Amino acid sequence: MDNTSLHGLATPYYVLDEAKLRANLRLIQSVARQSGAEIILAFKAYALWRTFSIFREYIGHTTASSPYEARLAYEEFGSKAHTYSPAYEKQTFHTILECSSHVTFNSLSQYAHFIGDVKTWNAHHAPVSCGLRINPEYSEIETELYNPCAPGSRFGVLASQLPDNLPEGIEGFHCHNHCESSTEALARSLEHVEEKFGRWLDKIKWLNLGGGHLMTREGYDIGLLIHTLVRFGQRHPNLHLILEPGSAFAWRTGDLVCQVVDVVENDGIKTAILNVSFTCHMPDCLEMPYWPTVTGATTLSGDDAVGHEREATVYRLGGNSCLSGDFMGYWQFPAPLRIGDTVTFEDMIHYTTVKTTMFNGIGHPAIVLLHENGQAEVLRRYAYEDYRDRMC
């Protein structure tokens, strides 16, 4: 690690702004205090462990979905994880128990398969609280790729599949059916949870409402969120409510900074080739898909681009991999782009940093923390050996 300033720092790099991160953390902490719910960090959206010391000032726990994430919680965050996985494996389940305070099972068959291991562990160690993931068969997520309640979903137990008496040892439910959603969506979801699973809610100790609660987004109704959680808690005073957002913690806290390395033109359409890749470094842009905000440029997506594709300062932006679809467009810049120009993709910390790949052996952007005092700390640089050592 080294300390410097952003000026003159070699691209590409992700830069996390500590001041913006702390602002999000303070808001999340305030919601937790006023609502009585516990809000924990989901590693699937953010796992930059060198920054965990900042998080620990505001929250106490995290959520994991694999043995590696559970270890990260226990060893680097310093507390045991709330763990859920679509399927646990016998050879790594001991690690899950060792590193978790809560373990949620995706199915009744998984619970039956592992309850013996849980009982043996609990007889000799601090007990692990077990839960079931439930499927309320309701979601307002429009992108099917991210909808955990789509027909035929592999996630969770339906109300029709639950026995009148829950299996011995089940102490909680876990429900996840949001993705960057509003408070209004949460309120409607809770109505479906109560309608379908209400007869079991007074028989459990905790209810994990999953992630996707984008409370740090501008315009999000924080007052309604607190009111909704408080009212639900009043109706079910036996329940400890848990929320585990990921995006909300790192929302608009940092960018991906890169450079133009070439400009190619075909049929009048100009593509600026960058020293980063959409498929390697911004995969959600292609998966969702969505056009990210580029600092200083106007996004021309869909119908907005029609008729403007060949204008002098309109460009597609292309990655430096050999995947044909590693590009997006169009953006209008204030002036023609030149080799060496800086391009900054905004809001590229949540999900992006955990989903990157080294496809094509493309160099990975450095990870930089911009401290509140203006100093930039390079948390990690990546080299050829990082790519080589992932292979065999």
Side-chain angles (χ1 to χ4, degrees):
M1 295 185 293
D2 53 37
N3 290 292
T4 182
S5 64
L6 290 180
H7 180 70
L9 194 64
T11 65
Y13 57 85
Y14 297 100
V15 55
L16 172 66
D17 190 314
E18 181 184 355
K20 294 178 180 179
L21 176 63
R22 286 185 180 277
N24 283 355
L25 286 163
R26 285 192 293 269
L27 187 149
I28 290 169
Q29 183 185 59
S30 175
V31 171
R33 287 174 174 171
Q34 293 182 68
S35 68
E38 182 178 13
I39 304 179
I40 63 180
L41 170 67
F43 285 160
K44 70 177 183 178
Y46 183 98
L48 298 179
W49 58 272
R50 291 188 186 275
T51 67
F52 285 172
S53 61
I54 299 173
F55 281 77
R56 285 194 295 267
E57 296 178 33
Y58 302 89
I59 63 170
H61 295 92
T62 59
T63 179
S65 297
S66 64
Y68 287 175
E69 285 190 345
R71 283 189 60 183
L72 195 70
Y74 190 38
E75 297 176 11
E76 303 299 338
F77 200 89
S79 60
K80 293 189 175 184
H82 294 236
T83 303
Y84 159 79
S85 175
Y88 298 107
E89 299 177 82
K90 201 73 172 178
Q91 64 268 28
T92 56
F93 193 66
H94 182 272
T95 298
I96 295 293
L97 292 173
E98 183 178 32
C99 299
S100 306
S101 59
H102 296 65
V103 173
T104 296
F105 294 89
N106 188 58
S107 65
L108 291 168
S109 56
Q110 274 267 295
Y111 179 72
H113 187 66
F114 286 105
I115 184 56
D117 298 77
V118 174
K119 288 181 176 179
T120 299
W121 173 269
N122 287 354
H124 301 92
H125 305 86
V128 171
S129 182
C130 290
L132 286 175
R133 177 162 178 168
I134 58 173
N135 185 337
E137 302 175 75
Y138 176 82
S139 175
E140 298 183 20
I141 300 172
E142 296 180 356
T143 303
E144 200 74 353
L145 180 67
Y146 299 104
N147 184 1
C149 295
S153 171
R154 72 188 195 280
F155 294 133
V157 181
L158 305 179
S160 60
Q161 297 172 322
L162 277 180
D164 290 336
N165 295 314
L166 292 174
E168 181 186 359
I170 292 297
E171 297 184 336
F173 283 164
H174 177 195
C175 173
H176 176 69
N177 63 332
H178 295 287
C179 178
E180 299 185 358
S181 302
S182 66
T183 304
E184 292 82 2
L186 171 62
R188 289 187 286 268
S189 293
L190 288 175
E191 292 177 2
H192 283 77
V193 169
E194 288 181 301
E195 177 186 349
K196 291 184 175 293
F197 296 93
R199 60 189 171 123
W200 294 286
L201 292 181
D202 64 346
K203 301 175 182 178
I204 57 176
K205 297 179 180 179
W206 51 266
L207 174 63
N208 187 324
L209 296 172
H213 314 283
L214 195 48
M215 61 190 75
T216 52
R217 179 177 57 195
E218 185 178 358
Y220 189 97
D221 194 336
I222 294 294
L224 179 59
L225 172 64
I226 294 170
H227 175 76
T228 299
L229 294 173
V230 168
R231 289 292 303 275
F232 188 86
Q234 290 170 343
R235 294 195 299 274
H236 306 283
N238 57 299
L239 291 179
H240 173 57
L241 292 180
I242 305 162
L243 280 70
E244 49 177 46
S247 296
F249 283 93
W251 185 256
R252 299 201 64 80
T253 59
D255 307 324
L256 174 57
V257 182
C258 60
Q259 272 186 324
V260 177
V261 294
D262 196 12
V263 178
V264 299
E265 185 170 341
N266 187 330
D267 192 27
I269 293 174
K270 300 178 292 300
T271 303
I273 308 297
L274 309 172
N275 62 348
V276 293
S277 161
F278 284 99
T279 189
C280 294
H281 309 133
M282 298 172 280
D284 269 357
C285 294
L286 300 180
E287 291 178 3
M288 192 71 160
Y290 77 95
W291 276 259
T293 297
V294 175
T295 301
T298 301
T299 305
L300 303 176
S301 60
D303 293 340
D304 292 338
V306 176
H308 299 281
E309 299 92 338
R310 293 169 176 81
E311 292 181 1
T313 60
V314 172
Y315 297 83
R316 299 192 312 186
L317 297 178
N320 57 350
S321 81
C322 64
L323 175 70
S324 297
D326 190 6
F327 72 91
M328 297 194 75
Y330 295 82
W331 285 266
Q332 185 163 38
F333 289 81
L337 291 178
R338 301 285 184 256
I339 293 173
D341 284 351
T342 296
V343 173
T344 299
F345 292 97
E346 298 181 5
D347 197 22
M348 284 294 165
I349 298 298
H350 59 90
Y351 278 101
T352 298
T353 53
V354 297
K355 295 179 74 172
T356 56
T357 73
M358 287 186 169
F359 170 65
N360 262 181
I362 292 173
H364 195 288
I367 308 291
V368 178
L369 175 62
L370 180 62
H371 288 286
E372 291 181 297
N373 64 5
Q375 286 292 105
E377 180 182 359
V378 180
L379 301 180
R380 176 77 185 273
R381 297 185 190 275
Y382 295 85
Y384 158 72
E385 288 76 16
D386 295 296
Y387 167 70
R388 181 198 65 190
D389 294 346
R390 296 184 69 214
M391 305 298 113
C392 60

